[in-house]
Amino acid sequence: MTPDYTKGHDVVVTGLAQWAKITEASGPSDFSKKYQMDLVLSKESIDDLANLGERVYAAVVKVQKRKKDSEEMEKVPPFVTLKSQNAPKVYTLDKKEYKGLIGNDSLMKVKGTLKAYEYMGKKGLSFYINGAIILDLKEYKGSSANLDDLWEGVDAKAAPIDDLPF
């Protein structure tokens, strides 16, 4: 039986989380304003999505991305982007809800829904995240750089009050 993507088709995939913004601690993505993450797919999940058909696979699985500071594309391991308007439930292996930060390369098992959309005359397929289990949590290393070494060797002084422009 062919899934009805207009109603949504649930899929379970596993892989390594990248840019996970799916918990209370991380909040939604700064760019999309949605809870989302990229998931580098396991071999089994690649096969499962491929078994849904070539059009479905091509619509949701990405195998290249734009190089940093360039228009040029580069080949990357197959991944999907999962999104949600609301924070999905995320659990640890002991079935406790997890609200902390999720580091890159954390191994995740995710239940999502593939659902057809039409927007401004363009049709496509979105992959919505419903919930996740963290199988192996990696430490979150924030994107903001530690600037402590910037001040090394600098004799920082407070500006004299008389030099302030107001």
Side-chain angles (χ1 to χ4, degrees):
M1 185 167 100
T2 305
D4 182 352
Y5 294 105
T6 58
K7 292 181 180 174
H9 178 69
D10 289 344
V11 179
V12 175
V13 291
T14 57
L16 300 176
Q18 300 293 312
W19 311 106
K21 295 265 200 165
I22 60 170
T23 61
E24 188 178 291
S26 68
S29 165
D30 297 333
F31 301 110
S32 70
K33 305 301 180 209
K34 292 180 179 161
Y35 290 89
Q36 73 178 55
M37 75 172 174
D38 290 344
L39 190 72
V40 177
L41 298 166
S42 68
K43 168 82 172 91
E44 294 78 18
S45 294
I46 291 169
D47 293 344
D48 290 346
L49 291 172
N51 288 335
L52 294 174
E54 191 175 321
R55 288 184 64 203
V56 171
Y57 184 87
V60 295
V61 178
K62 299 172 189 92
V63 293
Q64 58 182 356
K65 68 178 184 176
R66 196 172 315 285
K67 285 184 177 180
K68 189 173 180 172
D69 302 324
S70 169
E71 292 297 312
E72 193 178 329
M73 300 298 279
E74 67 180 333
K75 191 173 180 178
V76 295
F79 73 96
V80 293
T81 300
L82 298 125
K83 299 178 182 182
S84 176
Q85 291 284 40
N86 304 309
K89 296 280 187 190
V90 178
Y91 297 95
T92 56
L93 286 173
D94 58 3
K95 298 183 180 181
K96 292 188 174 138
E97 194 169 347
Y98 182 78
K99 296 182 186 236
L101 297 172
I102 298 170
N104 285 347
D105 297 328
S106 292
L107 183 60
M108 309 280 291
K109 182 175 183 177
V110 180
K111 183 174 183 180
T113 301
L114 292 169
K115 190 160 182 2
Y117 71 85
E118 187 170 346
Y119 180 70
M120 296 176 64
K122 185 178 176 185
K123 293 181 179 183
L125 202 57
S126 286
F127 206 164
Y128 297 99
I129 183 171
N130 301 328
I133 300 172
I134 302 167
L135 303 175
D136 182 23
L137 181 64
K138 301 293 182 190
E139 181 184 351
Y140 176 84
K141 295 177 172 81
S143 59
S144 49
N146 179 345
L147 299 177
D148 290 345
D149 57 344
L150 178 65
W151 297 104
E152 199 170 296
V154 174
D155 185 16
K157 297 179 175 72
I161 296 296
D162 295 339
D163 291 351
L164 295 176
F166 52 87

